[in-house]
Amino acid sequence: MDWDKLRIFHAVADAGSLTHAGDTLQLSQSAVSRQVRGLEQSLNATLFHRHARGLILTEQGELLFDATRAMLKRLDTATARIRDSEEEVFGELRVTTTIGFGTLWLAPRLSQLYKKYPDLRIDLMLEERVLDLPMREADVAIRMKEPSQADLIRKRLMSVHMVLAANADYIAEYGMPQQPKDLQAHRLISQNPNSAQVGAAAMLVSELIANNIPSILTVNNYFGVLQGVLHNLGIGVLPDYLLHDFPNLVRVLPEVESVEVPVFLAYPEELRHSKRIAAFRDFVQDEIFTYRKTMKEQAVT
C-alpha cells in the first residue's frame, strides 16, 4: 500500500473530517478525498461512513486505523532514538502530569530547563487520565502514585501531603482556627471530592466536609483553589509544596493533613538512553533538591 495514502487516511480518521485533516496536512479537501478514495479502491473496501456531521470509520476502517496508529508510534520511537544519538539536547519532549502538579509546581520552574537547553521543545500534557507511556502517548510522566506497568523505568521524586492553608491577610482579619470544629466559622475551598484527583486529597476533603462546614467553595482544579485562597475567600485544601512557593500562605491546623502522596517520574525502558529524558529527569531532581534544602533551612530557622 502507498504510504502517503495511509498517512492521509490516518489523519482523516484521527480528525473525523476531510477538511480538518486537510488543514493538518496542508492539502486541499479534494486532494485528501482523492487519496482516501484511491486507498479504498486499492483495498476494495469502504473505510468511512459519510454523513452530514463528519466521517465514521467502518469495521474495515477501524482495522486499518489500528494498524496505522501502531506504525506511527513505532516511527515516533525510531525518530526519537535517532535524534537522541546526537550530542545536543533538542527536539520535542512530551511530558504528562496532573493539572495541579503541572500548573502549580512544574510549569513555573521550566524556565530553568529552557535556560540550559534552549532548543528543547516541551509539550506539556496536563490531565488526570494516566497516559500510556509504552504506547508513546507521552515520553515521560510525573505521577502521584507508583506506575504499575513493568516496562517502565520509575524513580520516586518526593512526597506530598494535602494540607489546610490560608492567606496571611485572611488569618489577620478572621483569626486562626485552633481546632477542626473552628472551621465551621470559615469557608472551605477545595476540589470536589467526586472529581478526578488523588484519592488521598478526596478522602481528606470528605472528612472535613463531614464536620458540617456551612460554607464551601469547590473548584475542579487546584489552581482555582489557590486563587480563591490568595484572594481571601477562605481556607483551602492545597498541596504542601505551595507553602514554599507562596510565602504569604499560612498553614492552618498543622495536625490536619492527608496521607502521604508519593510522586514518581517514569518513562519507557526503550528511552533509557534518551538525552532529552535525561535532561528533564536531572532538571526535576535538581529542582526537588533545591526545594528540600530550602524547606530544611526554614525548619531550622
Side-chain angles (χ1 to χ4, degrees), residues 21-67:
D23 292 341
T24 301
L25 298 167
Q26 296 184 325
L27 294 172
S28 67
Q29 180 180 338
S30 60
V32 172
S33 178
R34 188 164 55 249
Q35 292 292 329
V36 171
R37 284 200 307 270
L39 182 59
E40 288 180 322
Q41 290 170 2
S42 68
L43 293 172
N44 193 28
T46 300
L47 300 175
F48 294 100
H49 292 302
R50 294 161 172 83
H51 60 84
R53 290 177 297 174
L55 301 175
I56 297 177
L57 287 165
T58 63
E59 183 178 354
Q60 294 87 348
E62 289 281 4
L63 287 171
L64 187 60
F65 187 48
D66 287 343

Side-chain angles (χ1 to χ4, degrees), residues 121-141:
R121 298 194 308 274
I122 302 295
D123 180 7
L124 192 55
M125 296 177 281
L126 305 181
E127 52 184 292
E128 305 307 319
R129 180 175 70 92
V130 175
L131 300 187
D132 192 327
L133 297 183
M135 287 301 293
R136 297 306 306 279
E137 289 186 331
D139 299 316
V140 59

Side-chain angles (χ1 to χ4, degrees), residues 38-182:
L39 182 59
E40 288 180 322
Q41 290 170 2
S42 68
L43 293 172
N44 193 28
T46 300
L47 300 175
F48 294 100
H49 292 302
R50 294 161 172 83
H51 60 84
R53 290 177 297 174
L55 301 175
I56 297 177
L57 287 165
T58 63
E59 183 178 354
Q60 294 87 348
E62 289 281 4
L63 287 171
L64 187 60
F65 187 48
D66 287 343
T68 57
R69 183 161 46 203
M71 292 165 65
L72 286 172
K73 289 186 183 301
R74 293 288 298 274
L75 283 172
D76 284 345
T77 299
T79 301
R81 295 181 72 173
I82 291 169
R83 286 176 174 171
D84 286 329
S85 67
E86 302 292 335
E87 289 300 321
E88 298 84 3
V89 175
F90 72 99
E92 183 180 69
L93 182 67
R94 296 170 298 167
V95 179
T96 179
T97 189
T98 61
I99 297 171
F101 193 83
T103 56
L104 299 177
W105 191 91
L106 182 58
R109 291 170 165 82
L110 284 176
S111 61
Q112 300 303 316
L113 180 63
Y114 280 113
K115 284 179 182 177
K116 193 169 184 180
Y117 304 108
D119 295 326
L120 195 61
R121 298 194 308 274
I122 302 295
D123 180 7
L124 192 55
M125 296 177 281
L126 305 181
E127 52 184 292
E128 305 307 319
R129 180 175 70 92
V130 175
L131 300 187
D132 192 327
L133 297 183
M135 287 301 293
R136 297 306 306 279
E137 289 186 331
D139 299 316
V140 59
I142 298 178
R143 295 177 176 169
M144 304 302 113
K145 63 178 181 180
E146 184 171 5
S148 58
Q149 292 166 301
D151 49 354
L152 294 179
I153 297 173
R154 78 282 316 273
K155 179 176 179 59
R156 183 162 179 160
L157 298 173
M158 62 191 291
S159 295
V160 174
H161 290 87
M162 304 305 298
V163 300
L164 291 171
N167 196 337
D169 295 338
Y170 175 90
I171 295 299
E173 182 173 354
Y174 297 101
M176 174 69 79
Q178 299 302 313
Q179 50 189 330
K181 70 177 185 179
D182 294 344

Side-chain angles (χ1 to χ4, degrees), residues 253-277:
L253 298 174
E255 72 277 11
V256 176
E257 64 180 18
S258 73
V259 298
E260 183 179 83
V261 179
V263 181
F264 282 85
L265 183 142
Y267 51 94
E269 175 73 34
E270 64 193 29
L271 293 180
R272 174 185 290 275
H273 301 294
S274 167
K275 292 181 175 60
R276 291 169 299 135
I277 295 283

Side-chain angles (χ1 to χ4, degrees), residues 190-221:
S190 71
Q191 278 201 228
N192 188 308
N194 297 320
S195 65
Q197 59 179 307
V198 175
M203 188 179 301
L204 177 61
V205 172
S206 296
E207 291 172 357
L208 291 169
I209 291 176
N211 289 323
N212 297 317
I213 300 174
S215 183
I216 298 172
L217 168 64
T218 58
V219 190
N220 65 350
N221 62 67

